[in-house]
């Protein structure tokens, strides 16, 4: 079955440590996205990538970094510079970033930093 | 970035009743999408309505779009306990040559058996 896999489901880190969240898709989609969701909030865009070796900052990119070395993979690193990293992180993909291109989501990684 | 706003924030109904959620947005759109999120899971795409469409159906779902009022509604008919979830609308923002979906805060729907 095609889909998006995020791992791990739960992640715990100490403050000051960088942590990398994995996102892999086998849908052959060009575009991939990272969103952050806080309790009772909508999704806020962190980074997106339209194609391999290209990515763009979203609304809340500060304290995060990404890479897109392979079409299938779009890992997100939460750095120690992110002031409030505890959140639910969602990865998504779509065939392209043109019109009428619905997103397919993974099941998220819940990150807790103490 | 533009963000759709859902209303109400929370909705509690009995099984069999209809559930209506609304979404308002600020600027012109190419399309509007509705997604569903079960607790602790990712979002699932439900339906997309283009700006030149006024109504669209998918099973028990009915979506309307009023571009003059910059609003959309999602109606779930004959609701079931399994419909309990959060529902989000998303509009496509034009960002640096791409259409990037931006989401509202969602409506939390509870359907009591």
């Amino acid at each position: 079955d095609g889909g998006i896999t995020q791992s791990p489901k739960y992640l715990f880190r100490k403050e000051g440590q960088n942590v990398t969240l994995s996102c892999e898709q086998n849908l052959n989609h060009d575009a991939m996205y990272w969103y952050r969701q806080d309790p009772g909030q909508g999704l806020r865009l962190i980074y997106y990538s339209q194609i391999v070796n290209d990515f763009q900052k979203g609304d809340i990119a500060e304290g995060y970094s990404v890479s897109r070395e392979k079409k299938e993979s779009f890992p997100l690193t939460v750095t120690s510079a992110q002031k409030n990293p505890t959140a639910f992180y969602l990865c998504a993909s779509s065939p392209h970033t043109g019109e009428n291109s619905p997103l397919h989501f993974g099941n998220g990684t819940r990150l807790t930093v103490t | 970035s533009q963000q759709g706003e859902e209303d109400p924030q929370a909705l509690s109904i009995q099984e069999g009743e209809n559930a209506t959620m609304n979404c308002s947005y600020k600027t012109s759109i190419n399309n509007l999408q509705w997604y569903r999120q079960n607790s602790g899971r990712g979002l699932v795409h439900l339906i997309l309505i283009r700006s030149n469409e006024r109504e669209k159906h998918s099973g028990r779902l009915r979506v309307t779009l009023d571009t003059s009022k910059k609003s959309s509604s999602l109606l779930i008919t004959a609701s079931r306990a399994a419909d309990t979830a959060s529902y989000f609308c998303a509009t496509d923002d034009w960002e640096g040559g791409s259409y990037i979906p931006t989401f509202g805060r969602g409506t939390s729907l509870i359907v009591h058996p």
Side-chain angles (χ1 to χ4, degrees):
Chain A
D1 282 339
I4 299 181
T5 301
Q6 290 188 242
S7 61
K9 188 172 176 66
Y10 299 97
L11 193 52
F12 299 87
R13 280 294 183 270
K14 294 289 187 185
E15 198 173 314
Q17 293 179 336
N18 292 357
V19 59
T20 297
L21 282 59
S22 169
C23 178
E24 303 279 333
Q25 55 102 355
N26 60 4
L27 298 166
N28 200 33
H29 285 173
D30 281 328
M32 296 188 75
Y33 312 77
W34 275 105
Y35 289 90
R36 170 184 171 137
Q37 187 177 31
D38 294 283
Q41 301 292 313
L43 279 65
R44 291 184 291 168
L45 182 67
I46 305 172
Y47 270 97
Y48 67 97
S49 168
Q50 299 177 69
I51 201 164
V52 176
N53 293 322
D54 175 75
F55 49 83
Q56 307 294 329
K57 291 182 179 180
D59 298 322
I60 56 165
E62 185 175 347
Y64 300 97
S65 66
V66 293
S67 63
R68 186 87 187 276
E69 296 175 1
K70 298 188 300 181
K71 188 174 187 176
E72 304 78 21
S73 180
F74 191 41
L76 174 74
T77 297
V78 184
T79 74
S80 56
Q82 167 50 233
K83 299 299 181 197
N84 187 17
T86 294
F88 189 50
Y89 291 88
L90 286 161
C91 178
S93 72
S94 64
H96 51 77
T97 55
E99 297 179 61
N100 309 320
S101 188
L103 301 186
H104 298 249
F105 281 84
N107 277 324
T109 291
R110 189 168 299 279
L111 173 64
T112 303
V113 177
T114 57
Chain B
S1 295
Q2 161 174 284
Q3 185 181 57
E5 288 295 333
E6 291 90 345
D7 172 61
Q9 288 188 339
L11 185 58
S12 180
I13 60 174
Q14 295 296 127
E15 210 165 29
E17 294 179 341
N18 294 344
T20 300
M21 289 156 268
N22 303 296
C23 171
S24 59
Y25 56 90
K26 295 173 186 155
T27 62
S28 62
I29 59 170
N30 292 298
N31 66 61
L32 186 142
Q33 303 175 51
W34 285 92
Y35 289 80
R36 166 196 170 123
Q37 183 182 32
N38 284 38
S39 181
R41 304 291 293 254
L43 279 70
V44 174
H45 181 258
L46 295 176
I47 200 163
L48 181 151
I49 186 165
R50 293 183 168 82
S51 59
N52 61 354
E53 297 175 313
R54 291 297 167 258
E55 188 170 312
K56 205 161 181 180
H57 296 255
S58 177
R60 292 184 296 113
L61 304 181
R62 174 179 167 245
V63 169
T64 62
L65 179 64
D66 187 337
T67 53
S68 66
K69 294 181 179 177
K70 293 187 172 59
S71 69
S72 173
S73 67
L74 170 67
L75 168 67
I76 303 174
T77 60
S79 63
R80 306 165 182 168
D83 294 327
T84 294
S86 293
Y87 292 83
F88 295 86
C89 67
T91 55
D92 279 358
D93 272 8
W94 180 249
E95 297 261 356
S98 300
Y99 285 100
I100 305 300
T102 57
F103 292 82
R105 293 171 187 258
T107 291
S108 176
L109 172 66
I110 297 175
V111 182
H112 300 278

